[in-house]
Amino acid sequence: MTNKKIYFVICTVVLCGLLTGCGTSTKTNGTTGGTKTENQKQEKVTAKFIPSLEIKEDNHDMTIKYAVKNISGKKQTLTFSNGLKADFIVYDQNGKKVKQYSEEVSATQATEEISVDNNKEMEQKFIISDLPNGQYKLEVFLTSKEEKAKTEAEFIVTNSLYTNGSGQYVGQMDPHTIEVNVDGNKTAFQLSDEAIKQLTSIKEGDQISFIFSEKESGQKTIERFFIES
């Protein structure tokens, strides 16, 4: 075989190898791209419920309307471990929790299932009556096993009958009345039923914070204490 023929054969083999390599590379890249797109579709989560929230100040109360709409395209079943279907938490403007619904109400322990048809809503109404004037953030959510549907909103209380108070706990005057040193003045406060229950965790001499109301006669009543958990 002449040198020219040998050279031609070698060039032909190299060229075929390059073409084969390019074809394999293109096929691999195409397969990788397809796998990535499929994973993205699998990771995409479709919402089954969409929550909505309405907050309105009614006289001296805040009325909360929480609704959850089924947008899944079919009937959905929600399982609740007790009679409490929804819960809320209120935070002050500093981010401190000042109130949680589930901590103030009692609920049955029986498990309950509720079916919600497609495009139908389940609603929960709350009334908050003991927040002093100020700015707050509200979080509301379902208590079901399958879905939380959490939503939040800020609101302002402008017409409250309640005031924030603080001082040093002096002692108990009778089962429903305590004495508090407020800015050097010893002041008598009546206690609500909730405040009476909380009083067991307070000792004489403690610095206390609370919410109180005041009647036209001047009688002050502590509605609840702020106790660090």
Side-chain angles (χ1 to χ4, degrees):
M1 184 180 293
T2 65
N3 290 337
K4 287 184 178 182
K5 289 184 177 180
I6 294 174
Y7 178 77
F8 176 79
V9 172
I10 294 174
C11 289
T12 302
V13 172
V14 172
L15 181 59
C16 289
L18 289 173
L19 290 174
T20 304
C22 290
T24 303
S25 176
T26 303
K27 185 176 181 181
T28 303
N29 288 340
T31 302
T32 303
T35 303
K36 183 177 181 181
T37 303
E38 185 178 347
N39 288 340
Q40 288 175 340
K41 289 181 180 179
Q42 291 175 348
E43 291 171 0
K44 185 177 180 181
V45 178
T46 302
K48 294 180 180 180
F49 292 87
I50 183 170
S52 62
L53 193 60
E54 292 181 14
I55 306 175
K56 183 172 66 173
E57 188 165 18
D58 239 348
N59 293 324
H60 305 295
D61 301 330
M62 300 302 299
T63 301
I64 312 298
K65 182 182 177 183
Y66 171 64
V68 177
K69 184 177 182 179
N70 179 3
I71 60 169
S72 68
K74 60 182 180 180
K75 180 186 291 188
Q76 296 291 333
T77 300
L78 299 176
T79 307
F80 300 90
S81 60
N82 54 48
L84 189 67
K85 307 298 187 301
D87 197 2
F88 71 73
I89 304 176
V90 178
Y91 300 91
D92 65 17
Q93 58 185 356
N94 297 316
K96 181 180 180 181
K97 185 176 83 170
V98 297
K99 189 178 186 68
Q100 183 163 356
Y101 182 65
S102 58
E103 294 177 350
E104 301 177 358
V105 297
S106 56
T108 60
Q109 297 301 313
T111 299
E112 182 179 356
E113 290 187 349
I114 295 180
S115 294
V116 184
D117 291 330
N118 184 48
N119 284 327
K120 297 298 183 180
E121 291 184 340
M122 61 176 296
E123 296 182 358
Q124 177 76 52
K125 185 177 179 181
F126 303 100
I127 295 188
I128 306 176
S129 59
D130 57 354
L131 291 176
N133 290 338
Q135 185 172 347
Y136 300 89
K137 185 179 81 170
L138 176 71
E139 291 181 356
V140 192
F141 47 91
L142 292 177
T143 61
S144 73
K145 176 183 177 182
E146 297 84 1
E147 180 71 37
K148 296 305 178 188
K150 179 180 175 181
T151 186
E152 61 183 46
E154 293 185 350
F155 66 96
I156 298 175
V157 179
T158 60
N159 195 29
S160 177
L161 296 175
Y162 299 89
T163 306
N164 284 315
S166 62
Q168 184 181 42
Y169 176 44
V170 177
Q172 191 165 3
M173 302 173 69
D174 61 49
H176 299 90
T177 311
I178 65 170
E179 194 172 44
V180 182
N181 189 332
V182 180
D183 297 329
N185 297 315
K186 292 183 178 180
T187 306
F189 287 89
Q190 295 281 303
L191 300 176
S192 68
D193 291 340
E194 181 181 353
I196 290 174
K197 294 177 182 177
Q198 292 178 301
L199 190 63
T200 57
S201 62
I202 299 174
K203 300 178 182 179
E204 292 183 5
D206 284 353
Q207 291 294 324
I208 56 176
S209 298
F210 48 86
I211 289 177
F212 72 95
S213 60
E214 184 172 0
K215 294 183 178 179
E216 292 182 0
S217 62
Q219 177 182 305
K220 298 179 176 63
T221 301
I222 294 178
E223 302 300 329
R224 71 175 186 273
F225 296 98
F226 292 117
I227 298 176
E228 296 292 339
S229 57

